[in-house]
């Protein structure tokens, strides 16, 4: 194996990509069918379509519906090797990446390890309010949601039942809004005929957001539409409100001077994220600066300052060269950056250059329950059923891009007409990492 | 709640069913829309279509595809209440069932708690050779199978790689045969283009069966067809062979006087089962006899001797009144017994009786990989593609009976034409019970 790991003039350029999310996978696909030898490293053996993870958490889809095995996606790109492993450090002076079980020499490195959930320093909240980043997180959320209803069916004390039927979602970004909408559909519609000892209409769903409106990155008119839509579905929206404490069965929410104590057995976290560990490693090994969220501030070609062969893309990158704010941590940014970094590498091998990276914003969209979404195409903002159709088609397009998951489309069509949720299983708690 | 749990002349007859498998669910459906008050108790919130569990273990289907939430299945049977709980004992003299968290009074009791896996007294093997009874078991098998291939991709020592690519399946009944066939499809076909550092054709799959042929309950000619089909797929079949030891990385298989040591990193258990705990409770509380596998020997109307209002059905029952051997532990027996017990209860309330239970055997079938199955309709035995089509339609018919899982049919059609497996995810190990 030694020759493969040594960079000599005879062996092809070796590009190592860390992370099989949107950024890393687009980079790998863009480098696929080229002369570059590519190694894609991920801790997991699948690409996860994270925007639909909330549907796993609420029992509409199975993990297999929104995850595509990386080897399957890249099976026809014979120059790409997938390696299950975890990157923990790098030695830029030797062009070496340190994995947990080996070192790997690269010619170019693309770091796309993304972000992890963040509890604003209150790590003890994680146990009480699970996040929604991984498949296991989603199954744990599903388990807690379904078990709360099961316990309510058995509970005769009205106060305890009320707490079992109270859900608090922390964070009013797209994940929180989508989760709240799906939970409302579940409680007020799908579950209606399922229970005998209580009315699922008693369910209370709180969505708590610190900013003055939900979906803060969207235009204010769409935030207002989303909030109205959620209220109509039965969600209690608390904006300008901070969760100040989470303990077993109780959440404290401060709005201005007042603190409300909500008795709730289920709290779901859809709030902060922070950079994955590779951000820190890059900063300490290259002297690159990181922002408050731990993201690496990159050059105009997405490389790390002083290290033109190391790129940071996607949620882990802070790209401040377009407007005053860094680009948001959304899938389209990661995809475009993945393609761009791959193209920089290909051009360089031909001694050519590429113009500065420029993000093309096609718009943003979020769904609020069945039939309703908000869409901002920059030149046109709209909401309601048409927006929902756009949302469905955009998501289907991307889900089936890598893996012909036509099945997801059919499943959606089916659920739409039957209001049936196919995956409402209480399965065992995955072991802690 | 007191009035509900007391049997007086004003309140309706209360039938309690333990277990939401094929037997219990058919009993509940049969009693649905009657005047009987029904409580269905299960530890899990879903009915599992166990005959397809091997497809979850080999990554073709997701758990949600073969599981139906019990509440959903019974939502229109307003006289049926689903209760999540675990039955641990009974007090027949008080007509009381003891659950882990409460007692429950019944007028009639149907026990359908089935069987659990059994390691012939070698409980320490369970850790090394996981069984295939629950969704969590199937996900654990899937994890081990997929991880073995991932490790093989990283392994450069040929001997270690050979062990990683060696799979031993213990037990040549339908589950073992179907698992071996699906694993062969995975290794020799689906995975072929996925790996770069080894040829998945190196994979070795051993199927070990103690009897003289695979599928012992089938006609000998079909066993021979199944064995030939498995060999053609690449499976090494060892009949008249016993697993005498399982340790990390090594399985000892004795055939006659010879013992072969197979170096294998993955061992899968598809062998013995024994009665669930309720069998023992019934025996000790009612004096009923149990057979060697712990199954309760029942009367001709499926009731427990001396206790006409307690029925034992499905895999937990030993029904010896038809021929010399007890009925086999298969889904059709459980379904027919569930319906029968429910009808006995309904008839009795009208002071009518039913003739003795009689099992109608429509035949048996097992699948051996894509395109090939064996079918025994008693009057007609056949194998090959036609048998596979019959197998597919029979399974689809029963999967969609409770829950309109049309999606499963489409998923199969899709996989059939694309040879694509949708759910090959390595997810975390569920915590131990």
């Amino acid at each position: 194996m030694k020759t493969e790991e040594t960079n000599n003039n005879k062996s092809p350029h070796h590009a190592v990509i860390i992370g099989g999310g949107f950024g890393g996978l687009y980079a790998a696909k863009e480098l696929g069918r080229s002369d570059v030898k590519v190694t894609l490293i991920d801790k997991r053996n699948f690409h996860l379509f994270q925007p639909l993870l909330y549907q796993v958490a609420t029992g509409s889809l199975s993990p297999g519906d929104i995850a595509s095995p990386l080897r399957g996606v890249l099976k026809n790109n014979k120059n790409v090797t997938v390696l299950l492993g975890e990157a923990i450090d790098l030695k830029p002076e030797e062009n070496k990446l340190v994995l947990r079980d080996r070192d790997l020499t690269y010619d170019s490195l693309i770091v796309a390890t993304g972000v992890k959930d963040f509890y604003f320093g209150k790590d003890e909240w994680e146990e009480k309010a699970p996040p929604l980043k991984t498949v296991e997180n989603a199954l744990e959320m599903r388990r807690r949601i379904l078990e709360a209803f099961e316990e309510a069916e058995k509970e005769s004390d009205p106060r305890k039942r009320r707490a079992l039927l109270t859900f608090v979602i922390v964070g009013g970004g797209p994940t929180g809004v989508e989760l709240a909408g799906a939970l409302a559909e579940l409680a007020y519609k799908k579950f209606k005929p399922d229970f005998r000892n209580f009315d699922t209409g008693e369910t209370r769903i709180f969505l708590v957001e610190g900013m003055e409106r939900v979906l803060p990155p969207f235009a204010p008119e769409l935030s207002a539409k989303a909030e109205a839509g959620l209220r109509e579905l039965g969600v209690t929206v608390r904006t300008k409100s901070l969760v100040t404490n989470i303990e077993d069965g109780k959440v404290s929410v401060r709005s201005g001077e007042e603190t409300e104590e909500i008795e709730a057995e289920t709290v779901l976290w859809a709030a902060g994220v922070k950079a994955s560990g590779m951000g820190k490693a890059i900063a300490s090994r290259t002297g690159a600066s990181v922002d408050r969220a731990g993201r690496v501030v990159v050059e105009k070609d997405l490389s790390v300052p002083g290290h033109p062969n190391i790129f940071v893309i996607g949620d882990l990158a802070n790209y401040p060269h377009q407007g005053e704010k860094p680009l948001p941590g959304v899938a389209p940014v990661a995809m475009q950056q993945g393609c761009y970094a791959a193209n920089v590498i290909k051009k360089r091998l031909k001694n050519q250059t590429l113009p500065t990276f420029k993000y093309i914003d096609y718009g943003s969209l979020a769904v609020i329950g069945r039939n309703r979404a908000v869409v901002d195409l920059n030149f046109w903002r709209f909401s309601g059923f048409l927006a929902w159709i756009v949302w469905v088609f955009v998501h289907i397009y991307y889900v089936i891009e890598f893996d012909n998951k036509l099945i997801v489309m059919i499943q959606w069509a089916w659920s739409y007409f039957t209001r049936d949720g196919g995956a409402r299983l209480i399965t065992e708690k995955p072991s802690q990492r």
Side-chain angles (χ1 to χ4, degrees), chain A:
Chain A
M1 300 295 278
K2 196 159 185 304
T3 52
E4 276 193 29
E5 301 213 349
T6 311
N7 178 27
N8 63 49
N9 291 331
K10 280 164 212 148
S11 61
H13 185 92
H14 185 203
V16 172
I17 302 168
I18 324 173
F22 288 104
L25 195 50
Y26 270 71
K29 283 299 249 183
E30 190 70 36
L31 287 170
R33 299 171 196 272
S34 76
D35 295 335
V36 177
K37 172 176 181 274
V38 180
T39 303
L40 175 65
I41 295 162
D42 200 298
K43 284 188 285 185
R44 312 304 298 261
N45 77 324
F46 53 85
H47 167 74
L48 180 64
F49 195 85
Q50 251 181 10
L52 289 178
L53 205 49
Y54 79 94
Q55 294 215 4
V56 174
T58 50
S60 291
L61 292 176
S62 286
D65 298 332
I66 60 160
S68 304
L70 289 169
R71 295 192 185 284
V73 173
L74 296 162
K75 66 183 173 192
N76 297 323
N77 301 108
K78 298 294 179 196
N79 62 323
V80 182
T81 302
V82 174
L83 192 69
L84 278 206
E86 186 178 2
I88 51 174
D89 201 355
L90 77 168
K91 299 175 182 165
E93 65 290 350
E94 300 172 53
N95 281 348
K96 266 194 183 153
L97 179 67
V98 182
L99 302 181
R100 202 166 281 287
D101 58 353
R102 68 180 69 187
D103 281 11
L104 196 64
T105 306
Y106 59 82
D107 298 312
S108 299
L109 179 67
I110 300 177
V111 184
T113 48
V115 288
K116 54 188 181 183
D117 48 79
F118 182 51
Y119 284 80
F120 307 118
K122 302 275 193 181
D123 290 346
E124 67 277 18
W125 289 359
E126 178 158 0
E127 172 69 21
K128 284 154 192 143
L132 191 58
K133 296 300 283 179
T134 67
V135 161
E136 286 78 8
N137 290 160
L139 295 178
E140 173 62 11
M141 267 199 192
R142 183 178 80 180
R143 193 180 68 79
R144 292 191 187 201
I145 292 168
L146 297 178
E147 276 193 350
F149 285 96
E150 291 296 338
E151 289 300 315
E153 177 81 347
K154 291 193 214 169
E155 186 58 64
S156 50
D157 176 339
R159 184 172 169 175
K160 284 186 188 161
R161 188 162 72 205
R162 192 175 158 88
L164 284 165
L165 293 174
T166 303
F167 297 84
V168 177
I169 297 165
V170 187
T175 301
V177 165
E178 291 172 341
L179 201 52
L183 191 53
E185 294 277 353
L186 199 62
Y188 303 132
K189 288 172 189 161
K190 287 185 194 162
F191 271 168
K192 204 87 187 165
D194 281 11
F195 293 89
R196 301 286 178 262
N197 299 330
F198 71 98
D199 177 359
T200 60
E202 295 170 25
T203 307
R204 298 185 304 158
I205 301 162
F206 291 89
L207 181 67
V208 182
E209 166 60 44
M211 313 280 269
E212 63 183 2
R213 55 194 174 91
V214 298
L215 301 178
F218 283 61
E221 64 191 85
L222 290 178
S223 293
K225 288 261 169 66
E227 192 174 324
L230 288 171
R231 286 190 201 281
E232 210 174 299
L233 278 172
V235 176
T236 306
V237 182
R238 292 262 190 279
T239 49
K240 287 185 273 184
S241 298
L242 287 173
V243 167
T244 53
N245 197 23
I246 305 176
E247 44 193 289
D248 284 335
K250 200 163 68 182
V251 182
S252 307
V253 177
R254 197 179 66 213
S255 311
E257 294 301 301
E258 266 175 58
T259 293
E260 183 181 10
E261 310 244 293
I262 303 172
E263 288 189 18
E265 286 295 334
T266 311
V267 188
L268 308 173
W269 190 259
V273 290
K274 94 176 163 191
S276 60
M278 278 305 285
K280 210 169 184 176
I282 291 167
S284 79
R285 299 300 180 194
T286 69
S289 32
V290 292
D291 65 14
R292 275 193 348 170
R295 293 176 299 182
V296 179
V297 182
V298 292
E299 295 283 9
K300 290 187 180 189
D301 65 353
L302 307 177
S303 68
V304 174
H307 296 267
N309 67 334
I310 303 178
F311 301 86
V312 180
I313 62 171
D315 290 4
L316 185 63
N318 175 326
Y319 184 79
H321 306 283
Q322 234 172 295
E324 71 271 28
K325 274 202 280 185
L327 292 175
V330 294
V333 171
M335 293 171 185
Q336 292 181 28
Q337 292 185 336
C339 290
Y340 180 88
N343 279 316
V344 169
I345 293 170
K346 288 201 282 190
K347 289 278 181 189
R348 274 188 198 156
L349 292 174
K350 297 179 193 159
N351 289 314
Q352 296 169 337
T353 54
L354 262 190
T356 297
F357 172 74
K358 191 147 175 44
Y359 172 56
I360 303 168
D361 182 5
Y362 295 104
S364 32
L365 61 185
V367 72
I368 313 139
R370 189 174 169 264
N371 269 356
R372 215 185 314 226
V374 291
V375 171
D376 186 345
L377 300 180
N378 298 323
F379 63 92
W380 188 28
R381 289 169 188 155
F382 57 108
S383 61
F385 183 70
L386 178 64
W388 184 78
I389 292 289
V390 170
W391 180 88
V392 166
F393 275 87
V394 167
H395 282 74
I396 285 169
Y397 176 84
Y398 285 108
V399 168
I400 69 176
E401 184 170 11
F402 292 132
D403 191 359
N404 277 315
K405 285 197 187 287
L406 189 64
I407 216 69
V408 173
M409 186 165 62
I410 299 164
Q411 177 112 29
W412 281 0
W414 184 255
S415 311
Y416 180 73
F417 291 111
T418 62
R419 291 182 175 235
D420 211 22
R424 299 201 305 267
L425 322 181
I426 301 177
T427 49
E428 274 175 42
K429 194 172 171 172
S431 56
Q432 299 300 316
R433 265 152 293 177

